[in-house]
Amino acid sequence: MARYLVFLYYPSDRFETDPQVLEAQMAEHDVHGRELTEEGVMVYGSPLEDHDASTSIRADSLVDGPFVEVNEVIVGFYVLEVPDLDAAIAVARRNPIIHQGGGVEVRPMVGDDVPASRGTLSA
């Protein structure tokens, strides 16, 4: 099985502030996550704290906040284990963030034959 990382994007200037609407949107994501878990295709997933909580690290600096200014920010992610890219796209296309005004990005992960992907690094 191949693994794919699905990034969830949302426009940074359209974050929902109505608590009831936000709760309803998050409930959709909870249902979607449970469905993917029950289908056995989601390995792991999580929403992320606000992008302003990021710390960016570069060779000569440590900066509070995101390194770049963008119109859309990553608000969550999950890892899928499915047969191929078409299957990953079919699963990711069902994510509720798409009809909530955001989008997704599906990116193949490096295979298990790379040492770092198994949690070990060679010296």
Side-chain angles (χ1 to χ4, degrees):
M1 289 285 201
R3 286 190 172 182
Y4 296 87
L5 183 60
V6 179
F7 294 104
L8 307 180
Y9 288 91
Y10 200 78
S12 61
D13 62 349
R14 293 195 321 191
F15 282 131
E16 186 57 55
T17 57
D18 182 326
Q20 291 181 329
V21 173
L22 183 59
E23 184 176 332
Q25 289 179 337
M26 294 308 294
E28 282 188 86
H29 286 278
D30 290 344
V31 169
H32 181 64
R34 278 194 299 274
E35 289 172 355
L36 298 184
T37 300
E38 290 169 6
E39 293 170 15
V41 297
M42 185 170 75
V43 174
Y44 180 80
S46 178
L48 298 173
E49 292 290 339
D50 188 87
H51 71 288
D52 289 338
S54 300
T55 300
S56 298
I57 301 169
R58 296 298 183 265
D60 59 349
S61 64
L62 186 71
V63 180
D64 289 337
F67 190 72
V68 295
E69 293 291 329
V70 294
N71 293 333
E72 290 185 322
V73 296
I74 299 172
V75 295
F77 70 95
Y78 53 90
V79 175
L80 297 175
E81 194 168 69
V82 292
D84 54 35
L85 179 60
D86 289 339
I89 291 171
V91 171
R93 188 183 301 272
R94 295 170 23 210
N95 193 286
I97 202 165
I98 294 172
H99 73 80
Q100 293 172 354
V104 299
E105 175 184 335
V106 178
R107 188 178 303 183
M109 297 177 70
V110 175
D112 282 341
D113 57 333
V114 176
S117 70
R118 292 189 303 261
T120 58
L121 294 172
S122 57

